[in-house]
Amino acid sequence: MSLTLTPMLAPQHKLRLWAGLLASGRPAQPAWTLGGNPAQPRWLRAWAPVQPGLPSDTPRVWCGVAEFDVAAGSHQVTAHCAGMGDGLTVSTLPGTVGAGAFGELRILLVSCYYRGEDEQGRIARQIAGLKLQPDLTLLMGDQVYLDLPTDRNFPNQPHWLARHFEQAYWNNWQPRHGAFTPGFGEVMRLAPWLGVADDHEFWNNAPHVSPIIQNSWKADGRSNWWNTALNCYRAFQAPAAGHDGQPHAVGDPYTFDIGQLSFFVADTRSRRDADAMQAMDNSALARLEQWVTTSIAQRRTGVIVTGQPLLQARAGRVGKITDYALADYGDYGRWLAALNARAAAGLPTVLLTGDVHYGRVSQVIDDRAGGWPAHTEVIASPTSLVRTLGADDWASINPLADPVWPRHSNGEAPPPWLSGDKRHRIRLRHLQKGDHVALLRFRPRGGALSLQVDYFPLHPDPTHAVPRRVSLDLTPRPF
């Protein structure tokens, strides 16, 4: 048995802790201390087993999300349950961009972590060694790969799938694998985090049929897999409540503000339809349009977080084999309308995403406004590249392969234009190859903000782990 805590994003004067326990039987709720004193939380998500209906004769994961009211600052929290304990220090979210310890807001970007290529814990050890001290961590999809290995056919049995998926999450959520090996959970403890789902929280190209995932070929196979994976996503990753404390359902957007920044965190996977008409349902799209209206009225710089890039061309027929892009869906026009509305109001928007297995910084330039950068996209992917059968084997023997990152792609330039009106061209600022994380540093500058993007390569050879920096201006359009 073991008990694990990890901090989730919470409003400024609250702490939200995900607590999980792998145990047999029916363990009692954890007992908590806050600052060394006994404390009683509100349970935003009740203490319960991840997968309902499983036999309790073998160990399984129980978990919940607890919330505490606190003063702004750092707090020591502990929990004990069934003879096990865990504790960590958690800092509350800054109230303004410049209120952090360094006069800036630091956001760590992480996506696409495959534990199978990090069994020795090097990735977590390297990230800890960077001493990044983020205020917030955004997990932008593929925090688990439930569909791997692709050369193994999983039985179409809900109980088997439930145990397999639950174990995959539990392994990744652990701060340590054994006594000395750091785990991905250690990265999740650096700061309060917020995650979004992408396809590997389900299966490659979910909810569509995938030629490489046999369980997706028939409707009952897709249904069993989807429902079981959704239970895990809800229990391990999805917010237990909105920033306003109201109930939050899987697939709902999560919105919050930090000073001049207004965030819209979109789940474009959990309610994706099988006809490729909508990546979000109508209620989520209405929330997007309401957020655009509100953020314009309040004159805030926007931050949109998605599991896939918005500045990406349609995949078309190739998407049936690989993964459809957001541009393949019938609701992509509403995303473009949202971006155009913010650009027309003269307000910059930052787009944060992962998925594509390379890092990239691009800017959408409005040439009719003197070359003003309306939108800035930052991609950070992968943290630990997934193994690809065939391609990786070839890379290992190909004498022409890149000796530094033989398995990773060089990356792709964005499409030349945001839309067909040829007003907003897209300029590539940087491509980042290899495993990495990125740290965003937002700083106040006059009445606006500046943004610095630092990419940190996670290469085992320190000579190939030299950070790269991109400095950006987020000034509203001059009138």
Side-chain angles (χ1 to χ4, degrees), residues 6-11 14-17 73 88-94 106-108 134-139 187-195:
T6 184
M8 302 185 80
L9 176 64
K14 296 182 186 298
L15 300 180
R16 290 179 182 171
L17 281 301
L88 71 166
T89 301
V90 190
S91 295
T92 57
L93 199 65
R106 295 186 172 190
I107 301 179
L108 179 63
D135 299 298
L136 167 67
T137 298
L138 294 174
L139 307 176
V187 178
M188 298 174 66
R189 290 157 70 104
L190 293 176
W193 60 268
L194 180 64

Side-chain angles (χ1 to χ4, degrees), residues 72-345:
S74 296
H75 301 271
Q76 178 67 31
V77 183
T78 69
H80 291 83
C81 179
M84 305 298 297
D86 193 13
L88 71 166
T89 301
V90 190
S91 295
T92 57
L93 199 65
T96 61
V97 171
F102 304 94
E104 60 190 18
L105 177 69
R106 295 186 172 190
I107 301 179
L108 179 63
L109 304 183
V110 179
S111 78
C112 307
Y113 174 80
Y114 179 51
R115 185 173 180 265
E117 291 293 314
D118 188 36
E119 293 290 356
Q120 302 305 312
R122 177 182 58 81
I123 296 289
R125 190 180 302 111
Q126 274 192 271
I127 294 174
L130 295 171
K131 302 187 184 307
L132 301 176
Q133 298 183 260
D135 299 298
L136 167 67
T137 298
L138 294 174
L139 307 176
M140 302 182 299
D142 298 342
Q143 282 71 250
V144 289
Y145 283 80
L146 297 185
D147 52 349
L148 292 186
T150 52
D151 61 347
R152 179 182 176 189
N153 290 324
F154 296 168
N156 185 21
Q157 300 170 4
H159 284 189
W160 189 95
L161 293 171
R163 292 193 184 281
H164 184 73
F165 295 167
E166 185 176 291
Q167 190 64 50
Y169 265 99
W170 183 250
N171 290 342
N172 278 23
W173 259 231
Q174 294 304 294
R176 293 200 170 274
H177 308 152
F180 304 107
T181 304
F184 185 68
E186 192 69 42
V187 178
M188 298 174 66
R189 290 157 70 104
L190 293 176
W193 60 268
L194 180 64
V196 297
D198 199 30
D199 56 338
H200 294 285
E201 267 76 17
F202 299 90
W203 67 82
N204 187 69
N205 203 21
H208 307 286
V209 174
S210 171
I212 58 175
I213 307 297
Q214 189 179 41
N215 297 56
S216 73
W217 296 352
K218 295 182 179 179
D220 70 321
R222 292 194 296 277
S223 177
N224 285 336
W225 188 304
W226 180 272
N227 292 331
T228 308
L230 192 65
N231 282 338
C232 277
Y233 178 66
R234 181 185 295 112
F236 281 92
Q237 290 207 60
H243 218 59
D244 57 2
Q246 296 300 307
H248 184 281
V250 171
D252 284 348
Y254 192 101
T255 58
F256 63 103
D257 301 328
I258 302 177
Q260 295 163 266
L261 293 173
S262 184
F263 292 76
F264 184 90
V265 182
D267 180 345
T268 60
R269 187 63 64 170
S270 298
R271 297 181 187 170
R272 190 171 285 205
D273 71 19
D275 297 324
M277 294 304 296
Q278 292 187 279
M280 295 199 301
D281 66 9
N282 285 330
S283 66
L285 289 165
R287 290 274 303 275
L288 170 66
E289 288 153 359
Q290 181 58 52
W291 173 81
V292 169
T293 300
T294 303
S295 62
I296 289 174
Q298 296 175 342
R299 306 300 296 171
R300 295 183 193 268
T301 296
V303 181
I304 296 176
V305 184
T306 53
Q308 289 182 286
L310 285 164
L311 306 186
Q312 186 177 23
R314 295 179 68 247
R317 293 180 179 179
V318 176
K320 289 185 177 181
I321 301 172
T322 55
D323 190 15
Y324 287 119
L326 291 178
D328 287 295
Y329 286 81
D331 59 0
Y332 184 63
R334 293 175 75 172
W335 279 104
L336 293 180
L339 295 179
N340 286 335
R342 285 195 49 84

Side-chain angles (χ1 to χ4, degrees), residues 390-407:
D392 287 358
D393 299 324
W394 167 240
S396 67
I397 59 174
N398 180 6
L400 301 179
D402 181 346
V404 178
W405 296 107
R407 299 192 304 118

Side-chain angles (χ1 to χ4, degrees), residues 410-469:
N410 292 321
E412 297 179 5
W417 303 96
L418 178 62
S419 57
D421 62 6
K422 300 292 181 72
R423 170 169 180 167
H424 297 102
R425 63 183 167 88
I426 305 178
R427 180 175 65 179
L428 175 65
R429 294 289 307 271
H430 176 70
L431 281 173
Q432 183 72 35
K433 186 175 183 179
D435 293 340
H436 62 269
V437 294
L439 186 70
L440 308 184
R441 303 170 193 259
F442 290 94
R443 292 175 179 154
R445 190 173 67 182
L449 297 172
S450 67
L451 172 60
Q452 184 174 293
V453 183
D454 288 331
Y455 282 100
F456 294 93
L458 301 172
H459 197 282
D461 182 343
T463 63
H464 299 307
V466 179
R468 297 291 302 274
R469 174 168 293 177

